[in-house]
mmCIF file of all heavy atoms in Angstrom:
data_model
loop_
_atom_site.group_PDB
_atom_site.id
_atom_site.type_symbol
_atom_site.label_atom_id
_atom_site.label_comp_id
_atom_site.label_asym_id
_atom_site.label_seq_id
_atom_site.Cartn_x
_atom_site.Cartn_y
_atom_site.Cartn_z
ATOM 1 N N PRO C 45 -3.029 -26.865 -25.251
ATOM 2 C CA PRO C 45 -1.943 -27.328 -24.343
ATOM 3 C C PRO C 45 -1.026 -26.187 -23.920
ATOM 4 O O PRO C 45 -0.480 -26.214 -22.829
ATOM 5 C CB PRO C 45 -1.205 -28.370 -25.181
ATOM 6 C CG PRO C 45 -1.669 -28.176 -26.561
ATOM 7 C CD PRO C 45 -3.023 -27.595 -26.502
ATOM 8 N N GLY C 46 -0.873 -25.162 -24.769
ATOM 9 C CA GLY C 46 -0.024 -24.015 -24.443
ATOM 10 C C GLY C 46 -0.461 -23.290 -23.193
ATOM 11 O O GLY C 46 0.340 -22.684 -22.497
ATOM 12 N N HIS C 47 -1.790 -23.331 -22.914
ATOM 13 C CA HIS C 47 -2.263 -22.730 -21.656
ATOM 14 C C HIS C 47 -2.386 -23.754 -20.545
ATOM 15 O O HIS C 47 -2.335 -23.406 -19.380
ATOM 16 C CB HIS C 47 -3.626 -22.057 -21.857
ATOM 17 C CG HIS C 47 -3.512 -20.679 -22.378
ATOM 18 N ND1 HIS C 47 -3.407 -20.367 -23.711
ATOM 19 C CD2 HIS C 47 -3.427 -19.493 -21.716
ATOM 20 C CE1 HIS C 47 -3.307 -19.058 -23.855
ATOM 21 N NE2 HIS C 47 -3.313 -18.507 -22.677
ATOM 22 N N ALA C 48 -2.577 -25.023 -20.934
ATOM 23 C CA ALA C 48 -2.732 -26.058 -19.910
ATOM 24 C C ALA C 48 -1.411 -26.346 -19.210
ATOM 25 O O ALA C 48 -1.379 -26.675 -18.031
ATOM 26 C CB ALA C 48 -3.287 -27.332 -20.556
ATOM 27 N N LEU C 49 -0.287 -26.153 -19.937
ATOM 28 C CA LEU C 49 1.017 -26.442 -19.357
ATOM 29 C C LEU C 49 1.325 -25.538 -18.178
ATOM 30 O O LEU C 49 1.646 -26.035 -17.075
ATOM 31 C CB LEU C 49 2.092 -26.301 -20.458
ATOM 32 C CG LEU C 49 3.308 -27.201 -20.275
ATOM 33 C CD1 LEU C 49 2.947 -28.642 -20.525
ATOM 34 C CD2 LEU C 49 4.439 -26.748 -21.163
ATOM 35 N N PRO C 50 1.271 -24.171 -18.347
ATOM 36 C CA PRO C 50 1.475 -23.343 -17.158
ATOM 37 C C PRO C 50 0.457 -23.606 -16.072
ATOM 38 O O PRO C 50 0.764 -23.476 -14.888
ATOM 39 C CB PRO C 50 1.348 -21.904 -17.677
ATOM 40 C CG PRO C 50 0.967 -21.997 -19.085
ATOM 41 C CD PRO C 50 1.151 -23.380 -19.564
ATOM 42 N N ALA C 51 -0.780 -23.989 -16.480
ATOM 43 C CA ALA C 51 -1.791 -24.320 -15.482
ATOM 44 C C ALA C 51 -1.281 -25.432 -14.577
ATOM 45 O O ALA C 51 -1.318 -25.303 -13.335
ATOM 46 C CB ALA C 51 -3.089 -24.742 -16.163
ATOM 47 N N VAL C 52 -0.780 -26.505 -15.199
ATOM 48 C CA VAL C 52 -0.277 -27.624 -14.406
ATOM 49 C C VAL C 52 0.921 -27.203 -13.563
ATOM 50 O O VAL C 52 1.031 -27.517 -12.374
ATOM 51 C CB VAL C 52 0.116 -28.808 -15.334
ATOM 52 C CG1 VAL C 52 0.808 -29.907 -14.566
ATOM 53 C CG2 VAL C 52 -1.127 -29.329 -16.045
ATOM 54 N N PHE C 53 1.827 -26.439 -14.193
ATOM 55 C CA PHE C 53 3.016 -25.943 -13.522
ATOM 56 C C PHE C 53 2.654 -25.187 -12.240
ATOM 57 O O PHE C 53 3.144 -25.500 -11.142
ATOM 58 C CB PHE C 53 3.779 -25.025 -14.485
ATOM 59 C CG PHE C 53 4.986 -24.362 -13.901
ATOM 60 C CD1 PHE C 53 6.120 -25.086 -13.558
ATOM 61 C CD2 PHE C 53 4.982 -22.982 -13.688
ATOM 62 C CE1 PHE C 53 7.242 -24.456 -13.027
ATOM 63 C CE2 PHE C 53 6.099 -22.341 -13.161
ATOM 64 C CZ PHE C 53 7.230 -23.091 -12.827
ATOM 65 N N PHE C 54 1.729 -24.199 -12.342
ATOM 66 C CA PHE C 54 1.373 -23.396 -11.191
ATOM 67 C C PHE C 54 0.587 -24.208 -10.169
ATOM 68 O O PHE C 54 0.715 -23.992 -8.960
ATOM 69 C CB PHE C 54 0.578 -22.153 -11.595
ATOM 70 C CG PHE C 54 1.465 -21.044 -12.082
ATOM 71 C CD1 PHE C 54 1.410 -20.589 -13.383
ATOM 72 C CD2 PHE C 54 2.372 -20.442 -11.215
ATOM 73 C CE1 PHE C 54 2.239 -19.585 -13.836
ATOM 74 C CE2 PHE C 54 3.198 -19.419 -11.657
ATOM 75 C CZ PHE C 54 3.125 -18.988 -12.967
ATOM 76 N N PHE C 55 -0.242 -25.153 -10.662
ATOM 77 C CA PHE C 55 -1.028 -25.959 -9.734
ATOM 78 C C PHE C 55 -0.106 -26.780 -8.843
ATOM 79 O O PHE C 55 -0.232 -26.801 -7.611
ATOM 80 C CB PHE C 55 -1.993 -26.867 -10.498
ATOM 81 C CG PHE C 55 -3.018 -27.505 -9.644
ATOM 82 C CD1 PHE C 55 -4.197 -26.855 -9.357
ATOM 83 C CD2 PHE C 55 -2.784 -28.754 -9.069
ATOM 84 C CE1 PHE C 55 -5.148 -27.431 -8.525
ATOM 85 C CE2 PHE C 55 -3.729 -29.332 -8.246
ATOM 86 C CZ PHE C 55 -4.915 -28.673 -7.989
ATOM 87 N N ILE C 56 0.865 -27.464 -9.486
ATOM 88 C CA ILE C 56 1.809 -28.280 -8.716
ATOM 89 C C ILE C 56 2.606 -27.401 -7.762
ATOM 90 O O ILE C 56 2.790 -27.711 -6.574
ATOM 91 C CB ILE C 56 2.740 -29.062 -9.662
ATOM 92 C CG1 ILE C 56 1.937 -30.112 -10.431
ATOM 93 C CG2 ILE C 56 3.882 -29.698 -8.897
ATOM 94 C CD1 ILE C 56 2.732 -30.816 -11.495
ATOM 95 N N LEU C 57 3.080 -26.246 -8.251
ATOM 96 C CA LEU C 57 3.879 -25.327 -7.444
ATOM 97 C C LEU C 57 3.083 -24.896 -6.211
ATOM 98 O O LEU C 57 3.605 -24.891 -5.091
ATOM 99 C CB LEU C 57 4.230 -24.099 -8.287
ATOM 100 C CG LEU C 57 5.611 -23.491 -8.042
ATOM 101 C CD1 LEU C 57 6.680 -24.475 -8.376
ATOM 102 C CD2 LEU C 57 5.769 -22.211 -8.866
ATOM 103 N N GLY C 58 1.826 -24.489 -6.446
ATOM 104 C CA GLY C 58 1.000 -24.010 -5.332
ATOM 105 C C GLY C 58 0.770 -25.083 -4.292
ATOM 106 O O GLY C 58 0.932 -24.853 -3.086
ATOM 107 N N LEU C 59 0.444 -26.290 -4.790
ATOM 108 C CA LEU C 59 0.166 -27.393 -3.880
ATOM 109 C C LEU C 59 1.430 -27.752 -3.088
ATOM 110 O O LEU C 59 1.365 -27.973 -1.867
ATOM 111 C CB LEU C 59 -0.301 -28.594 -4.700
ATOM 112 C CG LEU C 59 -1.208 -29.575 -3.983
ATOM 113 C CD1 LEU C 59 -2.455 -28.862 -3.493
ATOM 114 C CD2 LEU C 59 -1.585 -30.725 -4.899
ATOM 115 N N TRP C 60 2.553 -27.777 -3.766
ATOM 116 C CA TRP C 60 3.811 -28.155 -3.137
ATOM 117 C C TRP C 60 4.218 -27.141 -2.078
ATOM 118 O O TRP C 60 4.549 -27.508 -0.942
ATOM 119 C CB TRP C 60 4.885 -28.318 -4.207
ATOM 120 C CG TRP C 60 6.274 -28.302 -3.686
ATOM 121 C CD1 TRP C 60 7.266 -27.448 -4.026
ATOM 122 C CD2 TRP C 60 6.822 -29.192 -2.713
ATOM 123 N NE1 TRP C 60 8.389 -27.744 -3.329
ATOM 124 C CE2 TRP C 60 8.164 -28.803 -2.507
ATOM 125 C CE3 TRP C 60 6.322 -30.271 -1.987
ATOM 126 C CZ2 TRP C 60 9.003 -29.455 -1.617
ATOM 127 C CZ3 TRP C 60 7.165 -30.915 -1.082
ATOM 128 C CH2 TRP C 60 8.486 -30.507 -0.919
ATOM 129 N N TRP C 61 4.171 -25.834 -2.425
ATOM 130 C CA TRP C 61 4.561 -24.808 -1.450
ATOM 131 C C TRP C 61 3.600 -24.748 -0.280
ATOM 132 O O TRP C 61 3.985 -24.545 0.866
ATOM 133 C CB TRP C 61 4.684 -23.416 -2.131
ATOM 134 C CG TRP C 61 5.970 -23.253 -2.850
ATOM 135 C CD1 TRP C 61 7.129 -23.926 -2.599
ATOM 136 C CD2 TRP C 61 6.261 -22.348 -3.919
ATOM 137 N NE1 TRP C 61 8.119 -23.502 -3.473
ATOM 138 C CE2 TRP C 61 7.604 -22.531 -4.275
ATOM 139 C CE3 TRP C 61 5.517 -21.392 -4.609
ATOM 140 C CZ2 TRP C 61 8.232 -21.794 -5.287
ATOM 141 C CZ3 TRP C 61 6.125 -20.658 -5.610
ATOM 142 C CH2 TRP C 61 7.466 -20.876 -5.963
ATOM 143 N N GLU C 93 14.180 -28.841 -4.883
ATOM 144 C CA GLU C 93 13.143 -27.969 -5.469
ATOM 145 C C GLU C 93 13.771 -26.980 -6.472
ATOM 146 O O GLU C 93 13.274 -26.795 -7.579
ATOM 147 C CB GLU C 93 12.463 -27.206 -4.340
ATOM 148 C CG GLU C 93 11.342 -26.311 -4.756
ATOM 149 C CD GLU C 93 10.904 -25.417 -3.582
ATOM 150 O OE1 GLU C 93 10.719 -25.938 -2.470
ATOM 151 O OE2 GLU C 93 10.780 -24.198 -3.796
ATOM 152 N N GLY C 94 14.908 -26.389 -6.048
ATOM 153 C CA GLY C 94 15.594 -25.444 -6.920
ATOM 154 C C GLY C 94 16.042 -26.088 -8.211
ATOM 155 O O GLY C 94 15.867 -25.541 -9.317
ATOM 156 N N ILE C 95 16.624 -27.293 -8.072
ATOM 157 C CA ILE C 95 17.138 -27.985 -9.264
ATOM 158 C C ILE C 95 15.992 -28.310 -10.229
ATOM 159 O O ILE C 95 16.079 -28.081 -11.421
ATOM 160 C CB ILE C 95 17.894 -29.273 -8.839
ATOM 161 C CG1 ILE C 95 19.189 -28.880 -8.124
ATOM 162 C CG2 ILE C 95 18.203 -30.135 -10.057
ATOM 163 C CD1 ILE C 95 19.863 -30.023 -7.403
ATOM 164 N N ILE C 96 14.885 -28.833 -9.662
ATOM 165 C CA ILE C 96 13.711 -29.142 -10.477
ATOM 166 C C ILE C 96 13.228 -27.885 -11.232
ATOM 167 O O ILE C 96 12.981 -27.905 -12.434
ATOM 168 C CB ILE C 96 12.557 -29.683 -9.595
ATOM 169 C CG1 ILE C 96 12.899 -31.021 -8.997
ATOM 170 C CG2 ILE C 96 11.247 -29.736 -10.373
ATOM 171 C CD1 ILE C 96 12.562 -32.205 -9.857
ATOM 172 N N LEU C 97 13.151 -26.789 -10.472
ATOM 173 C CA LEU C 97 12.648 -25.540 -11.030
ATOM 174 C C LEU C 97 13.532 -25.087 -12.195
ATOM 175 O O LEU C 97 13.043 -24.800 -13.287
ATOM 176 C CB LEU C 97 12.624 -24.478 -9.926
ATOM 177 C CG LEU C 97 11.617 -23.346 -10.079
ATOM 178 C CD1 LEU C 97 10.222 -23.906 -10.124
ATOM 179 C CD2 LEU C 97 11.745 -22.369 -8.925
ATOM 180 N N VAL C 98 14.857 -25.042 -11.934
ATOM 181 C CA VAL C 98 15.788 -24.562 -12.961
ATOM 182 C C VAL C 98 15.711 -25.432 -14.213
ATOM 183 O O VAL C 98 15.628 -24.922 -15.330
ATOM 184 C CB VAL C 98 17.226 -24.524 -12.409
ATOM 185 C CG1 VAL C 98 18.212 -24.286 -13.529
ATOM 186 C CG2 VAL C 98 17.348 -23.446 -11.343
ATOM 187 N N SER C 99 15.703 -26.760 -13.996
ATOM 188 C CA SER C 99 15.759 -27.632 -15.170
ATOM 189 C C SER C 99 14.450 -27.572 -15.969
ATOM 190 O O SER C 99 14.463 -27.544 -17.201
ATOM 191 C CB SER C 99 16.082 -29.068 -14.754
ATOM 192 O OG SER C 99 15.156 -29.497 -13.783
ATOM 193 N N SER C 100 13.307 -27.524 -15.262
ATOM 194 C CA SER C 100 12.048 -27.472 -16.014
ATOM 195 C C SER C 100 11.919 -26.147 -16.750
ATOM 196 O O SER C 100 11.460 -26.099 -17.891
ATOM 197 C CB SER C 100 10.858 -27.684 -15.059
ATOM 198 O OG SER C 100 10.770 -26.614 -14.154
ATOM 199 N N ILE C 101 12.381 -25.047 -16.106
ATOM 200 C CA ILE C 101 12.373 -23.751 -16.794
ATOM 201 C C ILE C 101 13.304 -23.799 -17.995
ATOM 202 O O ILE C 101 12.964 -23.300 -19.078
ATOM 203 C CB ILE C 101 12.816 -22.639 -15.809
ATOM 204 C CG1 ILE C 101 11.762 -22.429 -14.726
ATOM 205 C CG2 ILE C 101 13.090 -21.346 -16.543
ATOM 206 C CD1 ILE C 101 10.437 -21.960 -15.232
ATOM 207 N N GLY C 102 14.468 -24.436 -17.816
ATOM 208 C CA GLY C 102 15.412 -24.567 -18.919
ATOM 209 C C GLY C 102 14.764 -25.237 -20.115
ATOM 210 O O GLY C 102 14.881 -24.782 -21.265
ATOM 211 N N LEU C 104 11.534 -25.416 -20.815
ATOM 212 C CA LEU C 104 10.513 -24.541 -21.392
ATOM 213 C C LEU C 104 11.155 -23.480 -22.292
ATOM 214 O O LEU C 104 10.663 -23.199 -23.384
ATOM 215 C CB LEU C 104 9.709 -23.845 -20.280
ATOM 216 C CG LEU C 104 8.635 -24.665 -19.576
ATOM 217 C CD1 LEU C 104 8.168 -23.983 -18.320
ATOM 218 C CD2 LEU C 104 7.493 -24.953 -20.517
ATOM 219 N N HIS C 125 7.206 -14.628 -23.144
ATOM 220 C CA HIS C 125 7.158 -15.837 -22.335
ATOM 221 C C HIS C 125 8.530 -16.236 -21.828
ATOM 222 O O HIS C 125 8.691 -16.652 -20.687
ATOM 223 C CB HIS C 125 6.529 -16.982 -23.155
ATOM 224 C CG HIS C 125 5.086 -16.770 -23.397
ATOM 225 N ND1 HIS C 125 4.617 -16.126 -24.534
ATOM 226 C CD2 HIS C 125 4.000 -17.044 -22.646
ATOM 227 C CE1 HIS C 125 3.303 -16.055 -24.467
ATOM 228 N NE2 HIS C 125 2.907 -16.586 -23.336
ATOM 229 N N MET C 128 9.442 -14.204 -18.803
ATOM 230 C CA MET C 128 8.784 -14.695 -17.574
ATOM 231 C C MET C 128 9.481 -15.937 -17.056
ATOM 232 O O MET C 128 9.776 -16.058 -15.869
ATOM 233 C CB MET C 128 7.320 -15.005 -17.876
ATOM 234 C CG MET C 128 6.474 -13.782 -18.058
ATOM 235 S SD MET C 128 4.742 -14.253 -18.121
ATOM 236 C CE MET C 128 4.344 -13.736 -19.786
ATOM 237 N N TYR C 129 9.734 -16.926 -17.969
ATOM 238 C CA TYR C 129 10.388 -18.151 -17.537
ATOM 239 C C TYR C 129 11.731 -17.841 -16.904
ATOM 240 O O TYR C 129 12.116 -18.438 -15.898
ATOM 241 C CB TYR C 129 10.610 -19.097 -18.743
ATOM 242 C CG TYR C 129 9.354 -19.602 -19.369
ATOM 243 C CD1 TYR C 129 9.278 -19.854 -20.731
ATOM 244 C CD2 TYR C 129 8.208 -19.833 -18.603
ATOM 245 C CE1 TYR C 129 8.125 -20.333 -21.318
ATOM 246 C CE2 TYR C 129 7.042 -20.307 -19.179
ATOM 247 C CZ TYR C 129 7.004 -20.552 -20.529
ATOM 248 O OH TYR C 129 5.841 -21.007 -21.091
ATOM 249 N N PHE C 130 12.458 -16.900 -17.489
ATOM 250 C CA PHE C 130 13.803 -16.578 -17.021
ATOM 251 C C PHE C 130 13.779 -16.166 -15.560
ATOM 252 O O PHE C 130 14.637 -16.573 -14.762
ATOM 253 C CB PHE C 130 14.414 -15.458 -17.870
ATOM 254 C CG PHE C 130 15.787 -15.064 -17.428
ATOM 255 C CD1 PHE C 130 16.867 -15.877 -17.687
ATOM 256 C CD2 PHE C 130 15.984 -13.894 -16.727
ATOM 257 C CE1 PHE C 130 18.131 -15.524 -17.260
ATOM 258 C CE2 PHE C 130 17.254 -13.520 -16.292
ATOM 259 C CZ PHE C 130 18.317 -14.349 -16.572
ATOM 260 N N PHE C 131 12.777 -15.334 -15.162
ATOM 261 C CA PHE C 131 12.746 -14.891 -13.782
ATOM 262 C C PHE C 131 12.370 -16.011 -12.818
ATOM 263 O O PHE C 131 12.841 -16.049 -11.692
ATOM 264 C CB PHE C 131 11.799 -13.684 -13.633
ATOM 265 C CG PHE C 131 12.492 -12.394 -13.919
ATOM 266 C CD1 PHE C 131 12.601 -11.904 -15.209
ATOM 267 C CD2 PHE C 131 13.082 -11.677 -12.890
ATOM 268 C CE1 PHE C 131 13.253 -10.725 -15.465
ATOM 269 C CE2 PHE C 131 13.752 -10.493 -13.146
ATOM 270 C CZ PHE C 131 13.833 -10.002 -14.439
ATOM 271 N N PHE C 132 11.560 -16.960 -13.311
ATOM 272 C CA PHE C 132 11.306 -18.143 -12.457
ATOM 273 C C PHE C 132 12.573 -18.995 -12.365
ATOM 274 O O PHE C 132 12.858 -19.607 -11.333
ATOM 275 C CB PHE C 132 10.109 -18.960 -12.970
ATOM 276 C CG PHE C 132 8.795 -18.386 -12.534
ATOM 277 C CD1 PHE C 132 8.074 -17.539 -13.355
ATOM 278 C CD2 PHE C 132 8.304 -18.658 -11.271
ATOM 279 C CE1 PHE C 132 6.885 -16.999 -12.947
ATOM 280 C CE2 PHE C 132 7.111 -18.106 -10.837
ATOM 281 C CZ PHE C 132 6.394 -17.263 -11.682
ATOM 282 N N GLY C 133 13.367 -18.999 -13.439
ATOM 283 C CA GLY C 133 14.667 -19.684 -13.400
ATOM 284 C C GLY C 133 15.578 -19.036 -12.364
ATOM 285 O O GLY C 133 16.236 -19.732 -11.586
ATOM 286 N N LEU C 135 14.715 -17.538 -9.760
ATOM 287 C CA LEU C 135 14.182 -17.969 -8.445
ATOM 288 C C LEU C 135 14.764 -19.316 -8.071
ATOM 289 O O LEU C 135 15.212 -19.524 -6.928
ATOM 290 C CB LEU C 135 12.659 -18.054 -8.518
ATOM 291 C CG LEU C 135 11.957 -18.819 -7.395
ATOM 292 C CD1 LEU C 135 12.145 -18.130 -6.071
ATOM 293 C CD2 LEU C 135 10.478 -18.977 -7.688
ATOM 294 N N GLY C 136 14.795 -20.239 -9.058
ATOM 295 C CA GLY C 136 15.369 -21.557 -8.790
ATOM 296 C C GLY C 136 16.833 -21.456 -8.390
ATOM 297 O O GLY C 136 17.260 -22.068 -7.401
ATOM 298 N N LEU C 157 11.179 -14.618 -5.566
ATOM 299 C CA LEU C 157 9.827 -15.089 -5.872
ATOM 300 C C LEU C 157 8.924 -13.910 -6.184
ATOM 301 O O LEU C 157 8.175 -13.909 -7.170
ATOM 302 C CB LEU C 157 9.283 -15.864 -4.657
ATOM 303 C CG LEU C 157 7.882 -16.452 -4.807
ATOM 304 C CD1 LEU C 157 7.856 -17.458 -5.919
ATOM 305 C CD2 LEU C 157 7.420 -17.076 -3.513
ATOM 306 N N ALA C 160 9.727 -12.529 -9.526
ATOM 307 C CA ALA C 160 9.217 -13.338 -10.630
ATOM 308 C C ALA C 160 7.744 -13.005 -10.903
ATOM 309 O O ALA C 160 7.328 -12.837 -12.060
ATOM 310 C CB ALA C 160 9.388 -14.824 -10.323
ATOM 311 N N PHE C 161 6.965 -12.874 -9.811
ATOM 312 C CA PHE C 161 5.537 -12.600 -10.007
ATOM 313 C C PHE C 161 5.286 -11.178 -10.477
ATOM 314 O O PHE C 161 4.389 -10.934 -11.291
ATOM 315 C CB PHE C 161 4.751 -12.924 -8.724
ATOM 316 C CG PHE C 161 4.482 -14.377 -8.572
ATOM 317 C CD1 PHE C 161 5.141 -15.125 -7.632
ATOM 318 C CD2 PHE C 161 3.589 -15.013 -9.413
ATOM 319 C CE1 PHE C 161 4.906 -16.471 -7.497
ATOM 320 C CE2 PHE C 161 3.344 -16.365 -9.306
ATOM 321 C CZ PHE C 161 4.017 -17.100 -8.328
ATOM 322 N N GLU C 164 6.023 -11.146 -14.087
ATOM 323 C CA GLU C 164 4.922 -11.794 -14.809
ATOM 324 C C GLU C 164 3.740 -10.823 -14.964
ATOM 325 O O GLU C 164 3.171 -10.697 -16.060
ATOM 326 C CB GLU C 164 4.467 -13.047 -14.048
ATOM 327 C CG GLU C 164 3.524 -13.908 -14.860
ATOM 328 C CD GLU C 164 2.767 -14.895 -13.984
ATOM 329 O OE1 GLU C 164 3.269 -15.283 -12.916
ATOM 330 O OE2 GLU C 164 1.649 -15.261 -14.405
ATOM 331 N N SER C 214 0.148 -19.524 -1.443
ATOM 332 C CA SER C 214 -0.017 -20.814 -2.111
ATOM 333 C C SER C 214 -1.377 -20.900 -2.779
ATOM 334 O O SER C 214 -1.491 -21.372 -3.905
ATOM 335 C CB SER C 214 0.154 -21.940 -1.105
ATOM 336 O OG SER C 214 1.379 -21.859 -0.455
ATOM 337 N N ILE C 217 -1.419 -19.002 -5.931
ATOM 338 C CA ILE C 217 -0.702 -19.671 -7.013
ATOM 339 C C ILE C 217 -1.581 -20.783 -7.589
ATOM 340 O O ILE C 217 -1.674 -20.964 -8.806
ATOM 341 C CB ILE C 217 0.655 -20.208 -6.517
ATOM 342 C CG1 ILE C 217 1.544 -19.018 -6.124
ATOM 343 C CG2 ILE C 217 1.339 -21.028 -7.580
ATOM 344 C CD1 ILE C 217 2.814 -19.415 -5.434
ATOM 345 N N LEU C 218 -2.267 -21.510 -6.691
ATOM 346 C CA LEU C 218 -3.242 -22.525 -7.140
ATOM 347 C C LEU C 218 -4.284 -21.882 -8.029
ATOM 348 O O LEU C 218 -4.637 -22.392 -9.090
ATOM 349 C CB LEU C 218 -3.943 -23.143 -5.939
ATOM 350 C CG LEU C 218 -3.343 -24.364 -5.268
ATOM 351 C CD1 LEU C 218 -4.280 -24.846 -4.176
ATOM 352 C CD2 LEU C 218 -3.127 -25.461 -6.279
ATOM 353 N N GLN C 220 -4.042 -19.215 -9.750
ATOM 354 C CA GLN C 220 -3.473 -18.863 -11.046
ATOM 355 C C GLN C 220 -3.437 -20.074 -11.972
ATOM 356 O O GLN C 220 -3.756 -19.959 -13.161
ATOM 357 C CB GLN C 220 -2.059 -18.316 -10.826
ATOM 358 C CG GLN C 220 -1.586 -17.476 -11.969
ATOM 359 C CD GLN C 220 -0.248 -16.863 -11.702
ATOM 360 O OE1 GLN C 220 0.203 -16.801 -10.573
ATOM 361 N NE2 GLN C 220 0.413 -16.389 -12.740
ATOM 362 N N GLY C 221 -3.045 -21.226 -11.405
ATOM 363 C CA GLY C 221 -3.057 -22.444 -12.210
ATOM 364 C C GLY C 221 -4.438 -22.738 -12.754
ATOM 365 O O GLY C 221 -4.636 -22.937 -13.966
ATOM 366 N N ASN C 222 -5.441 -22.723 -11.844
ATOM 367 C CA ASN C 222 -6.820 -22.983 -12.269
ATOM 368 C C ASN C 222 -7.271 -21.995 -13.352
ATOM 369 O O ASN C 222 -7.936 -22.363 -14.296
ATOM 370 C CB ASN C 222 -7.772 -22.856 -11.073
ATOM 371 C CG ASN C 222 -7.631 -23.985 -10.110
ATOM 372 O OD1 ASN C 222 -6.960 -24.969 -10.408
ATOM 373 N ND2 ASN C 222 -8.226 -23.836 -8.947
ATOM 374 N N PHE C 224 -5.443 -20.330 -15.511
ATOM 375 C CA PHE C 224 -4.826 -20.608 -16.801
ATOM 376 C C PHE C 224 -5.660 -21.658 -17.542
ATOM 377 O O PHE C 224 -5.899 -21.552 -18.753
ATOM 378 C CB PHE C 224 -3.386 -21.119 -16.611
ATOM 379 C CG PHE C 224 -2.344 -20.072 -16.840
ATOM 380 C CD1 PHE C 224 -1.577 -19.605 -15.800
ATOM 381 C CD2 PHE C 224 -2.109 -19.568 -18.109
ATOM 382 C CE1 PHE C 224 -0.623 -18.636 -16.006
ATOM 383 C CE2 PHE C 224 -1.148 -18.597 -18.333
ATOM 384 C CZ PHE C 224 -0.397 -18.127 -17.274
ATOM 385 N N LEU C 225 -6.081 -22.682 -16.803
ATOM 386 C CA LEU C 225 -6.879 -23.749 -17.417
ATOM 387 C C LEU C 225 -8.208 -23.176 -17.919
ATOM 388 O O LEU C 225 -8.659 -23.486 -19.027
ATOM 389 C CB LEU C 225 -7.134 -24.854 -16.394
ATOM 390 C CG LEU C 225 -7.463 -26.221 -16.973
ATOM 391 C CD1 LEU C 225 -6.246 -26.769 -17.692
ATOM 392 C CD2 LEU C 225 -7.890 -27.184 -15.872
#
Side-chain angles (χ1 to χ4, degrees):
Chain C
H47 275 86
L49 211 70
V52 172
F53 176 69
F54 279 116
F55 192 87
I56 292 174
L57 216 62
L59 207 59
W60 163 239
W61 279 337
E93 183 190 313
I95 291 167
I96 293 273
L97 206 60
V98 170
S99 55
S100 66
I101 292 297
L104 282 167
H125 290 93
M128 287 190 243
Y129 295 147
F130 179 74
F131 274 86
F132 278 96
L135 165 65
L157 181 63
F161 280 108
E164 191 197 334
S214 304
I217 295 171
L218 272 184
Q220 201 176 343
N222 288 349
F224 260 112
L225 202 67

